[in-house]
Amino acid sequence: VEATNNQLKQQIHPHFLFNSLNMLKTLIKKDPDQATDYLVKLSDFLRASLLSSNPNVVRLEDELKLCYDFLDMQKIRFGDALNFRIQIPAEVQESVFVPVFSLLSLLENAIKHNQLTNELPLHIQVSYLDGHIIVSNNLQPKFSSEPSTGLGLENLAERYRIISGDEIVINNDGRTFSVNINTVPDESSNYRR
């Protein structure tokens, strides 16, 4: 179980890092000052993500710190084409846990699969309700020659089953896409089948 979880978690890092480095390369040519800001955010993000003491779960406030760094990097890239709002009470952030990179994966997924333009910005919301975190966004699917593999959500669903025994809930009503995940009560949580 531990080995499977670690393998699933390690699939996330290289994908994110390659995308970030490609973005940095583009910014260096287009806007060196923005590239510098982006590099500082990327450095902060990588430092925080590598310092996680628990390989499986992290306090929600620490996961949200990674999310803010990631979203700030994306704001440098997309400007007004991306809007986000995180509404989770401080006492909840300090008291519950989530699998490492779980919310981050959902945010990256929303940006990866949707068009972002100033005329039609992507709106991402992260909220909390009765022990659940809901990450939602308006649907503006990218027209791509490469169909989605669904591996990101599949990876997250499997990690949730391993760590907590819970399922993630995915909703798509044609206008809004959302994923609902349970929080984990403590950092020693590890579901065994």
Side-chain angles (χ1 to χ4, degrees):
V1 169
E2 186 80 22
T4 301
N5 182 49
N6 286 335
Q7 179 185 15
L8 291 168
K9 193 173 73 174
Q10 289 173 8
Q11 291 173 4
I12 298 167
H13 260 294
H15 176 73
F16 172 78
L17 189 55
F18 291 136
N19 286 345
S20 297
L21 292 175
N22 282 330
M23 181 61 207
L24 183 58
K25 178 181 160 189
T26 301
L27 282 174
I28 288 170
K29 293 177 185 174
K30 195 166 75 172
D31 189 336
D33 289 337
Q34 266 196 332
T36 300
D37 291 343
Y38 189 87
L39 184 57
V40 168
K41 293 285 184 193
L42 178 59
S43 175
D44 290 345
F45 174 86
L46 291 173
R47 184 178 301 109
S49 67
L50 293 173
L51 293 177
S52 175
S53 60
N54 187 318
N56 297 325
V57 298
V58 64
R59 191 175 305 276
L60 178 56
E61 67 183 340
D62 295 330
E63 178 78 2
L64 289 175
K65 167 71 172 100
L66 288 176
C67 291
Y68 276 114
D69 286 342
F70 171 75
L71 289 168
D72 286 344
M73 288 167 50
Q74 300 313 307
K75 281 293 283 182
I76 291 170
R77 178 179 180 188
F78 294 110
D80 291 337
L82 174 64
N83 296 305
F84 65 90
R85 192 163 79 186
I86 298 176
Q87 295 181 296
I88 300 178
E91 62 273 10
V92 171
Q93 293 183 32
E94 297 165 1
S95 63
V96 299
F97 295 81
V98 293
V100 175
F101 307 130
S102 56
L103 299 181
L104 182 67
S105 298
L106 295 174
L107 297 173
E108 188 175 14
N109 196 54
I111 292 169
K112 176 182 176 185
H113 294 292
N114 287 282
Q115 295 182 63
L116 291 87
T117 66
N118 287 345
E119 297 76 28
L120 294 169
L122 181 66
H123 300 279
I124 299 175
Q125 180 161 323
V126 181
S127 55
Y128 176 83
L129 180 64
D130 298 329
H132 299 267
I133 298 171
I134 301 102
V135 178
S136 62
N137 62 272
N138 55 319
L139 271 174
Q140 302 180 152
K142 275 185 183 170
F143 300 106
S144 174
S145 58
E146 291 182 34
S148 171
T149 61
L151 289 178
L153 285 176
E154 190 177 303
N155 177 313
L156 179 61
E158 182 61 21
R159 288 180 59 225
Y160 252 89
R161 279 191 288 277
I162 290 169
I163 291 170
S164 69
D166 292 326
E167 299 290 329
I168 65 173
V169 178
I170 301 169
N171 290 305
N172 180 345
D173 66 9
R175 295 181 322 165
T176 303
F177 183 86
S178 68
V179 179
N180 181 324
I181 59 177
N182 291 335
T183 58
V184 180
D186 61 64
E187 63 184 324
S188 62
S189 293
N190 197 4
Y191 178 76
R192 303 277 187 211
R193 293 181 223 212

